[in-house]
Amino acid sequence: ILAGLYIGTCSSTFIAFSDLKHFNRKNFFPKLPLCVIGVVIGVLMFSKFSSSILSIILGILLIALSIKIAFFDNIKFPKIFKHKLLLIGGISQGMFGMGGPFIVNALRGDFNNKSNLRTTMAMFFVFFNIIRFAQLGISKHLDYNLLKTIWWSIIPIFICIKLGHKVHLAISEDLFKKLIATITICSGIKFLIINLSFYDSALLFHYHIHFTIHLGDIAQLVEHLLCKQ
């Protein structure tokens, strides 16, 4: 978590302040309070609940969002739906630093072009991660020694950001949307596979979760878990 937080904060800061001319203040400040509330809730949830449970919920939400992007993107949803996406995005960012897909989907229709969206989103993440750093520091979940060993990792990340920006400028808006959907569903599936594959049966019993699955290899996995009891 700390490594991702460090890299995410450094990369977002680099993107935001290297292209400030595309920062859209009108879309940033009105949306910031709701997102910040979500980040605070997300950090508190991360410290109070099982990360496996939260990861599975996030995976399901990411897959649902990717389906919305891929098949229902032209449908106009009520304004409250956008507010819910912003809140969910803030919560997801506070828990795992994965709020981007929700917030991008909520806001991308409000921007004139991809560059405005890219820079403004980076500024969102700078603020979000500062809050996460502060809350994790107060709760003593920060390992400062780890930062000493990974500080150099941001250098290749900066190089990738520059290369990625060139690709970002070259692709069409439609391809950009498809890439967002693809990355989102891959992230959701990854969260589900990792957390369902290594789920401990004692934790399943503790939360009174009972699965009945009749699909080949998945059924064998469940049988293996039950045998551990």
Side-chain angles (χ1 to χ4, degrees), residues 202-213:
L203 186 61
L204 290 176
F205 179 78
H206 177 73
Y207 284 97
H208 304 282
I209 298 175
H210 302 282
F211 293 97
T212 304
I213 304 175

Side-chain angles (χ1 to χ4, degrees), residues 153-204:
S153 60
I154 196 60
I155 297 174
I157 296 295
F158 283 154
I159 296 174
C160 292
I161 289 173
K162 293 297 291 184
L163 294 175
H165 188 214
K166 293 183 181 296
V167 175
H168 167 82
L169 295 174
I171 64 176
S172 66
E173 297 282 348
D174 185 59
L175 179 58
F176 182 63
K177 181 183 74 174
K178 292 177 180 178
L179 288 174
I180 290 176
T182 302
I183 293 172
T184 302
I185 195 168
C186 288
S187 300
I189 292 173
K190 176 184 175 183
F191 267 91
L192 287 179
I193 290 177
I194 290 176
N195 288 280
L196 287 177
S197 296
F198 295 98
Y199 223 80
D200 188 87
S201 58
L203 186 61
L204 290 176

Side-chain angles (χ1 to χ4, degrees), residues 53-187:
I53 290 287
L54 297 176
S55 295
I56 291 172
I57 294 174
L58 177 59
I60 293 172
L61 289 174
L62 285 169
I63 292 173
L65 178 64
S66 65
I67 293 173
K68 184 265 180 188
I69 296 172
F71 301 106
F72 305 102
D73 205 47
N74 294 325
I75 298 177
K76 290 186 177 181
F77 291 89
K79 191 174 182 179
I80 191 172
F81 180 75
K82 178 187 293 187
H83 293 159
K84 289 181 178 179
L85 279 181
L86 290 174
L87 184 61
I88 292 172
I91 293 173
S92 302
Q93 185 69 23
M95 290 191 301
F96 297 109
M98 286 289 296
F102 301 100
I103 299 173
V104 168
N105 193 259
L107 297 181
R108 62 192 177 87
D110 298 338
F111 292 90
N112 296 326
N113 54 61
K114 300 191 302 291
S115 294
N116 284 340
L117 174 61
R118 175 178 178 267
T119 303
T120 307
M121 283 301 303
M123 195 67 77
F124 270 112
F125 294 136
V126 171
F127 273 81
F128 296 161
N129 289 344
I130 289 174
I131 294 173
R132 292 184 75 211
F133 263 120
Q135 285 193 297
L136 291 174
I138 292 172
S139 61
K140 298 181 180 180
H141 283 93
L142 289 181
D143 182 3
Y144 296 101
N145 290 324
L146 177 62
L147 293 177
K148 295 178 182 179
T149 62
I150 64 172
W151 67 267
W152 58 270
S153 60
I154 196 60
I155 297 174
I157 296 295
F158 283 154
I159 296 174
C160 292
I161 289 173
K162 293 297 291 184
L163 294 175
H165 188 214
K166 293 183 181 296
V167 175
H168 167 82
L169 295 174
I171 64 176
S172 66
E173 297 282 348
D174 185 59
L175 179 58
F176 182 63
K177 181 183 74 174
K178 292 177 180 178
L179 288 174
I180 290 176
T182 302
I183 293 172
T184 302
I185 195 168
C186 288
S187 300

